[in-house]
Amino acid sequence: MAGVQPPPLRSLDDFLLCSARFAVPDLRDLDRWNNRMINNLLYYQTNYLLSALGLLLIVGYFQPLQMFVGMTVVSIAFVGFVFAAENQATVRRFRRNHPYVCVMAVLLASYLFMSVLGGVAVFLFGIAFPVLTIFIHASVRLRNLKNKLENKLESIGLKRTPMGLLLEALGQEQEAGS
């Protein structure tokens, strides 16, 4: 993670207002649409992070208890999934040695999940809505010269950003900057 630098916050004028140009992407040319999205994700990543946090805070403000409960349940489910994936032999051995405990745990987890389903829905909406808005903005925002220059610096490795690392981990690094 050495050499990773967060990109600057782009002006509201550049991000949304007067100088921003928007156009519906050509759905027949998926490569070009993918290229536009990746480059916008790289260029506006700080703006997207702040927008997502703002929307998440708004949802949390209107439904704080459900947001907290949903976040807790989703986090526990995620940690449980990672634990089970890392310790498969241990889980199988426990299930074989204590079948009644496992059945009760599954029933209890199902009951807990059903009772907090509203909170989970609020939390997932709190995450899905910002992701959807970022996806829409990255899809319709046309690139400008400064955007292209910054993305070229990212693609040749002169600058490393958190979004660049994420896209690289997702296998999208070859498209970035082209």
Side-chain angles (χ1 to χ4, degrees), residues 100-160:
Y100 294 114
V101 173
C102 289
V103 169
M104 292 306 293
V106 167
L107 291 175
L108 182 65
S110 300
Y111 174 75
L112 176 66
F113 184 73
M114 293 305 286
S115 66
V116 297
L117 192 59
V120 171
V122 167
F123 177 69
L124 292 178
F125 175 76
I127 295 217
F129 186 65
V131 169
L132 178 65
T133 57
I134 290 169
F135 176 77
I136 290 170
H137 185 273
S139 291
V140 299
R141 176 68 169 90
L142 295 174
R143 296 168 55 201
N144 58 25
L145 187 60
K146 189 174 179 185
N147 182 325
K148 291 176 183 178
L149 179 64
E150 287 286 325
N151 288 326
K152 193 54 79 176
L153 289 174
E154 170 85 19
S155 70
I156 61 175
L158 295 178
K159 293 178 80 177
R160 303 288 293 163

Side-chain angles (χ1 to χ4, degrees), residues 46-77:
T46 305
N47 296 66
Y48 289 146
L49 176 67
L50 292 177
S51 299
L53 287 176
L55 291 171
L56 196 61
L57 288 173
I58 289 171
V59 171
Y61 176 76
F62 287 112
Q63 301 286 335
L65 181 63
Q66 287 185 325
M67 185 72 163
F68 177 74
V69 169
M71 181 178 58
T72 303
V73 169
V74 170
S75 298
I76 289 171

